[in-house]
């Protein structure tokens, strides 16, 4: 059985050609899936009955479902535990702002990057998510909350460690004959696989890129982020410069503030040396404490003070707004708790 909601319109055209269907049928089916959101050939009543029966024998739809919902009482943030077809579990978050709604989606079941402050990686990588699972993640949250305006790929997993599926997912979700989401409404966050950052730039997909820098010194970064042993900060700056040159998209640098660890004077100086004069943005994120990492959440004053010190050095820094703080399980924690 071939997974139909995993396919770009061109792939469906080829599959249909092999089966001697007329070319326009591919667009019809693609629209049925991505515009009308049907996930059953029986509902595609504008297809001939015989074709529907033949398609059912050959193709299937991958579906995922909500296992548990956590709703904030402070704002309208919702966190979901989602069950994949093989019963594996991932997380997604829906956030409602005044003028837009954003969802944060997972890209892998688990993660193999090993960052010490991150809950998602504690049990390693189980497997990559497929393009159709990523698509379904979005459509499921839209079915529950209405159309969304932005997607951030910042949930469980390292998206650039699942490059091919992520690329296909972006191609499908931005296709003008389907969901037609704009490239600039998608943000991909990476722990820093520099060769893949360049590959992403070369795809021409032009999504927003966020780099999880967190430490501006290689030695220090490597203590908390094993990926830093493979790719140096210089590699990352080369790759993000390349990304900016190719796409014209300003790269944002994420910085999880861990009080007493990476908000020291040396960190401010290192960040300045690294980023001054570049068209980048530093996004300060308060550490979300997890059981396995013995550090507290920084207070509002610590964050503000660090931000001001960066601004004084001529850097462009803001503090990320926290949503749904009463259901504040950082990504990966809900899944880990559920597994326990
Ligand atoms: N693997 C990708 C995307 C998923 S993580 C990446 O590393 O960018 C999304 C963001 O959440 C990253 O910036 C990550 O460093 C951050 N993060 C991980 N654990 C966190 C925690 N405990 N508190 C705050 N942010 C965290």
């Amino acid at each position: 059985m071939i997974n139909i909601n995993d396919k770009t319109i061109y792939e469906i055209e080829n599959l249909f050609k092999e089966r001697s269907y007329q070319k326009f049928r591919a667009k019809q089916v693609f629209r049925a899936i991505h515009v009308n959101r049907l996930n059953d050939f029986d509902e595609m009543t504008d297809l001939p009955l015989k074709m529907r029966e033949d398609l059912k024998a050959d193709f299937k739809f991958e579906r995922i479902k909500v296992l548990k919902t956590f709703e904030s009482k402070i704002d309208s943030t919702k966190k979901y535990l989602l069950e994949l077809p093989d019963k594996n579990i991932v997380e997604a978050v829906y956030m409602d702002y005044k003028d837009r709604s954003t969802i944060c989606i997972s890209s892998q079941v688990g993660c193999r990057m090993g960052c010490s402050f991150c809950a998602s990686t504690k049990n390693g990588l189980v497997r990559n998510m497929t393009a159709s699972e990523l698509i379904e993640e979005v459509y499921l949250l839209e079915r529950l909350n209405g159309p969304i305006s932005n997607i951030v790929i910042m949930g469980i997993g390292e998206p650039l460690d699942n490059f091919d599926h992520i690329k296909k997912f972006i191609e499908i979700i931005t296709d003008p004959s389907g969901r037609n989401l704009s490239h600039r409404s998608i943000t991909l966050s990476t722990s820093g696989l520099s060769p893949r950052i360049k590959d992403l730039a070369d795809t021409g997909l032009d999504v927003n890129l966020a780099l999880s820098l967190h430490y501006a010194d290689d030695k220090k970064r490597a203590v908390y982020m094993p990926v830093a042993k493979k790719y140096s900060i210089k590699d990352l700056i080369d790759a993000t410069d390349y990304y900016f040159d190719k796409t014209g998209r300003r790269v944002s640098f994420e910085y999880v503030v861990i009080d007493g660890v990476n908000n020291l004077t040396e960190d401010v100086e290192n960040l300045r040396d690294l980023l001054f004069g570049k068209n980048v943005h530093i996004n300060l994120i308060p550490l979300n404490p997890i059981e396995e990492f013995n550090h507290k959440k920084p207070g509002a004053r610590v964050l503000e003070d660090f931000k001001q010190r960066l601004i004084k050095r001529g850097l462009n820094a803001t503090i990320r707004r926290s949503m749904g703080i009463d259901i504040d399980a950082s990504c990966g924690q809900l899944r880990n708790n559920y597994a326990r």
Side-chain angles (χ1 to χ4, degrees), residues 104-108 111 113 115-120 153-161 188-192 210-214 221 225 227 253-258 283 285-290 293 297 320 329-331 333:
C104 173
I105 62 170
S106 294
S107 57
Q108 295 181 309
C111 183
M113 304 321 288
C115 302
S116 56
F117 47 84
C118 180
S120 302
I153 312 175
M154 291 188 186
I156 296 171
E158 169 49 53
L160 295 187
D161 189 34
L188 182 149
S189 174
T190 179
S191 58
L211 176 79
S212 295
L213 184 67
H214 306 330
R221 196 166 185 264
M225 300 179 72
V227 66
F253 286 75
E254 295 165 284
Y255 202 92
V256 169
V257 178
I258 307 166
N283 206 337
I285 310 166
L287 173 77
N288 225 324
I290 65 166
F293 187 65
K297 192 184 193 96
R320 180 180 291 171
S330 46
C331 226
Q333 264 183 306

